[in-house]
Amino acid sequence: MRKLISLALLLSPLLAGLAFPAVGDTVIYDNVRYIITSETDSTSTYEMSLYQILEAPRIVIPDKITYGGHTYEVTSISEDNMSIYPQNLERDVYIDKIDFSLAAHIDTFPMSATWTGCTDIDTLILPPNLNYAAEFYALCSTEGYDEKESRYLGIKRLFSSGTTDIDIESFQSCYSLVEVDLSTTAIDSIPGSPPPVRGMFDHCYWLEEVKLPETVRFLDGSTFAFCTRLNSVRFLGSVVSYIGQSAFAYCIFLDSLDLSAQTRLKTISASLCNGCTSLRSVLLPPSVDSIGRSAFSGCVSLSEIEVPVLDPIPVEENVFSGVDKSSCRLIVPAPSIGKYRAAPVWRDFLNIESGDLLTITVLSADSLMGGVTGTGVYRYGDNPYIAANPARGYRFTRWSDGSTEQYRRLTLTSDSTITAYFEFDPEFQYRVSVRTADRTMGSVSPTTAYARHGETVTITATPLSGYRFTLWSDSVTANPRDIIVTRDTVLTAHFAPYTPDTFAVTLLCDSAMGTVSGSGRYPEGTAATLTATPHEGYAFTRWEDSHGLTFTDNPLTLTVTCDTLLTALFREDGTGHAPADDDGCAAWVTPDGTLRVRCPGCRLMELRTVTGLTLYSGAPADIPLPMPGIYILTLDGRTIKIIRP
């Protein structure tokens, strides 16, 4: 429930020794009765509420008063049916004006405050810091009807005095109101709803003029419905984006409706001006893209409709029901006259003309370099604002009419087209932003750099211990890397936990002669143990790698630094010749049937079959054996039996 406003008075002692009024005591000051609500003196502050307004031509509610040697600050309106009341209840109170403009501490008008008995009040000025007011029907309740004036008695004029956003519930059925001026406030919306719920000024029969502040953006449904004497609603700003259904319905004195400045308004709601029989002219904004059913139905006096929209808006037949389309002027942009003459409903108007409407088209010579604003439909003599907005890395140079003003106004005398030109800005610096995907894994440098078009920036990703750099967000893996700058650039370095590279160790042998163990993948730098185990009747001779290197250790301990292929060589036990300490000669048969001979210092080698056929004679060499079997090898006179399995 909304808090009720109270009029409180700040107490500063002026005369020592005077009796201090107690809470609940009433005080009359300038024909106003107040009630004391606080006597807390820890801060010398006391509160008092407005209780009754008595008879006087003009009443001014101050921000503070002095009474009984003390100064009080007025802070609230009494919750106890505060009212305007004659001292003698047999006659009316004649008050011309009630002015709250000095009452800076009042921020609420409660529902319980009613201006009863006020037959001749003319003006009510609201407090400057008012932020909530209950339904003004309670404040403007009437005490009679003036037969001579044929009108209700009560408050006629209501004015704001501050710049706050007042939450006003309603002026519904304030029959006596003639003028409302809220122009100084910061009101954002005028509440209301479509029928059968009533709007804010609904049924204010005698209301003639309303001034709304620059801040108003929304007018809800039925806002001014049945304000039968309303002839002027002044939109002081140009930010209205919504006007609800039946907002001006049956305002039979409304002469014109000018919405041309409300360039944020997209929709003309249903029944907006339904039954406005005196409405002569309607000016719509160029932003409108829809018109609801019966929006101008019954506007029998309508003689001019201005629609500054290039493409005709689809509308229903009943939108202009009752309008004399043979005499009413339909004013549209000159390039669109043909479109309106062909469009359903619009073509029923026999007088379609351009009037004072002019079209300006604002273009960009290159939309990649920059954009423009200002295209629209305007009136003859208007000064529309146009702007050239270069994209990053470019600059505005000129308009097609030679002007070099980037932001300017035009004076329109004819339909116009104007083009903005841009160029590359050689002094412009692009920004290179370098990020790390995870700060716990690594850092980058620089984090931000600036460079002109075509310049080079070097960026580096540095992993923390236990992590490694993987790639940049554009999938490039180079690190550090050079970037040639042609635009604003954002790059992110990605890291991953460090896992040492692994290499494959592959072992081969003649499985008929023996087995090998130790094959597999090993992390870089690992010491692998490789073992060759001959079968019975065979003996290990040595290891040989794919490059011809040999190793005689068995088991062999190998530090893994790359992929490695080793072959374990065996010989038939007793048929081969192992290296001896005296000469170091060795001969054996490889799995592919090649006789290998290693005999330092040996000068003559002969190889024969068991039948005596000489296969080779000469310096020691590796000889392919033609087929399995037994061979006789002679090395400098020593004979060795060789078997190829």
Side-chain angles (χ1 to χ4, degrees):
M1 182 177 179
R2 298 186 182 276
K3 70 184 184 73
L4 300 178
I5 299 181
S6 50
L7 296 173
L9 303 168
L10 172 64
L11 177 65
S12 17
L14 297 178
L15 298 175
L18 293 179
F20 185 77
V23 171
D25 286 354
T26 60
V27 173
I28 295 178
Y29 182 87
D30 280 352
N31 292 293
V32 179
R33 188 188 303 276
Y34 300 92
I35 184 169
I36 296 172
T37 60
S38 169
E39 55 182 13
T40 303
D41 61 0
S42 61
T43 59
S44 299
T45 300
Y46 297 82
E47 296 182 354
M48 149 183 304
S49 261
L50 175 64
Y51 189 67
Q52 284 182 328
I53 296 179
L54 308 177
E55 182 176 1
R58 296 193 176 188
I59 297 293
V60 177
I61 307 299
D63 65 335
K64 56 189 174 183
I65 65 174
T66 300
Y67 174 76
H70 302 282
T71 299
Y72 294 80
E73 191 173 82
V74 180
T75 60
S76 64
I77 293 179
S78 170
E79 300 180 13
D80 253 345
N81 279 328
M82 195 291 294
S83 60
I84 301 176
Y85 226 78
Q87 294 184 50
N88 179 352
L89 296 180
E90 294 180 357
R91 63 187 179 84
D92 291 331
V93 178
Y94 293 99
I95 299 175
D96 178 62
K97 181 178 182 180
I98 303 177
D99 186 351
F100 281 88
S101 62
L102 299 178
H105 304 285
I106 297 178
D107 63 359
T108 302
F109 269 18
M111 183 65 127
S112 58
T114 59
W115 311 128
T116 57
C118 301
T119 60
D120 204 35
I121 191 168
D122 180 84
T123 302
L124 173 64
I125 302 178
L126 301 175
N129 295 316
L130 185 67
N131 58 42
Y132 170 72
E135 293 186 359
F136 271 86
Y137 177 77
L139 302 178
C140 303
S141 59
T142 57
E143 287 294 319
Y145 185 82
D146 188 333
E147 296 289 349
K148 182 178 179 180
E149 294 288 335
S150 298
R151 60 176 297 149
Y152 290 94
L153 301 174
I155 295 174
K156 300 179 182 65
R157 293 172 176 81
L158 188 80
F159 298 99
S160 60
S161 66
T163 58
T164 56
D165 183 358
I166 308 173
D167 184 1
I168 300 175
E169 291 196 357
S170 180
F171 291 96
Q172 293 170 9
S173 301
C174 291
Y175 299 139
S176 60
L177 273 178
V178 174
E179 179 182 359
V180 174
D181 185 347
L182 301 174
S183 59
T184 67
T185 68
I187 291 175
D188 176 78
S189 61
I190 306 297
S193 298
V197 180
R198 298 170 65 182
M200 187 170 182
F201 295 95
D202 195 356
H203 285 78
C204 292
Y205 293 130
W206 282 80
L207 185 61
E208 296 178 2
E209 181 179 359
V210 176
K211 291 182 182 178
L212 300 178
E214 294 183 354
T215 52
V216 168
R217 295 187 297 146
F218 305 99
L219 279 75
D220 285 342
S222 300
T223 300
F224 299 103
F226 293 96
C227 293
T228 55
R229 290 182 177 269
L230 184 67
N231 56 54
S232 174
V233 177
R234 296 184 61 186
F235 297 92
L236 301 182
S238 58
V239 296
V240 175
S241 58
Y242 176 76
I243 301 177
Q245 179 178 337
S246 302
F248 300 98
Y250 300 101
C251 294
I252 60 176
F253 274 31
L254 187 63
D255 177 77
S256 64
L257 181 63
D258 186 352
L259 301 174
S260 58
Q262 308 308 322
T263 54
R264 301 184 187 184
L265 185 64
K266 297 289 187 182
T267 300
I268 300 300
S269 298
S271 301
L272 183 75
C273 293
N274 184 27
C276 294
T277 54
S278 297
L279 187 64
R280 294 185 304 106
S281 67
V282 172
L283 280 67
L284 301 183
S287 54
V288 166
D289 57 21
S290 66
I291 301 178
R293 56 183 175 78
S294 302
F296 301 101
S297 177
C299 298
V300 296
S301 300
L302 198 57
S303 60
E304 181 177 290
I305 305 172
E306 187 172 290
V307 188
V309 181
L310 291 171
D311 293 317
I313 302 167
V315 294
E316 299 179 18
E317 288 284 346
N318 58 16
V319 166
F320 300 106
S321 177
V323 176
D324 186 352
K325 299 182 184 66
S326 65
S327 61
C328 180
R329 296 171 65 215
L330 178 61
I331 301 173
V332 300
S336 303
I337 290 178
K339 294 181 181 179
Y340 279 86
R341 287 177 176 168
V345 180
W346 299 107
R347 64 190 174 202
D348 296 337
F349 288 86
L350 301 185
N351 297 315
I352 303 178
E353 56 188 80
S354 63
D356 291 334
L357 292 182
L358 300 174
T359 302
I360 179 172
T361 304
V362 186
L363 303 174
S364 170
D366 188 332
S367 60
L368 295 178
M369 293 185 178
V372 293
T373 57
T375 294
V377 180
Y378 304 90
R379 291 176 182 78
Y380 183 91
D382 276 356
N383 300 110
Y385 177 82
I386 65 172
N389 306 301
R392 285 180 58 80
Y394 299 91
R395 64 186 179 187
F396 168 76
T397 56
R398 63 181 176 85
W399 295 99
S400 54
D401 63 358
S403 172
T404 57
E405 292 183 71
Q406 184 175 348
Y407 309 104
R408 59 184 289 206
R409 290 192 177 276
L410 296 178
T411 298
L412 293 183
T413 57
S414 62
D415 293 334
S416 304
T417 298
I418 188 167
T419 302
Y421 291 89
F422 304 91
E423 68 178 7
F424 170 72
D425 183 356
E427 298 303 315
F428 179 81
Q429 290 188 325
Y430 294 106
R431 184 168 72 175
V432 178
S433 300
V434 188
R435 306 286 183 261
T436 175
D438 190 332
R439 294 180 182 276
T440 65
M441 294 185 180
S443 61
V444 293
S445 66
T447 56
T448 303
Y450 293 89
R452 294 182 178 88
H453 191 279
E455 291 183 341
T456 298
V457 173
T458 300
I459 62 175
T460 303
T462 304
L464 296 177
S465 177
Y467 299 93
R468 61 186 176 87
F469 169 78
T470 56
L471 50 74
W472 298 98
S473 52
D474 61 356
S475 299
V476 174
T477 57
N479 181 42
R481 63 178 289 199
D482 292 335
I483 301 172
I484 298 176
V485 178
T486 59
R487 63 182 182 274
D488 287 340
T489 303
V490 178
L491 288 171
T492 301
H494 292 269
F495 301 91
Y498 175 74
T499 301
D501 289 333
T502 61
F503 297 102
V505 174
T506 304
L507 302 180
L508 301 176
C509 72
D510 184 343
S511 60
M513 296 184 178
T515 61
V516 289
S517 62
S519 295
R521 298 196 67 86
Y522 292 85
E524 182 180 8
T526 299
T529 299
L530 314 177
T531 303
T533 304
H535 293 325
E536 185 177 355
Y538 295 92
F540 169 79
T541 58
R542 69 177 180 279
W543 300 97
E544 186 171 299
D545 72 5
S546 56
H547 302 289
L549 296 177
T550 61
F551 310 92
T552 59
D553 291 346
N554 187 33
L556 172 66
T557 300
L558 179 70
T559 300
V560 179
T561 59
C562 61
D563 289 339
T564 302
L565 174 65
L566 288 174
T567 301
L569 301 177
F570 301 98
R571 59 178 173 79
E572 186 177 2
D573 196 16
T575 64
H577 181 74
D581 291 338
D582 54 349
D583 58 15
C585 289
W588 69 95
V589 179
T590 66
D592 65 354
T594 300
L595 171 65
R596 296 191 184 278
V597 177
R598 300 292 182 267
C599 190
C602 181
R603 293 188 298 275
L604 177 64
M605 164 183 156
E606 291 184 353
L607 179 65
R608 301 185 300 276
T609 66
V610 292
T611 60
L613 177 64
T614 300
L615 299 177
Y616 175 80
S617 179
D622 293 343
I623 305 297
L625 299 178
M627 62 184 66
I630 299 174
Y631 297 85
I632 305 299
L633 174 66
T634 301
L635 295 172
D636 281 347
R638 289 175 296 178
T639 300
I640 302 170
K641 178 181 174 183
I642 298 298
I643 300 174
R644 176 184 173 184

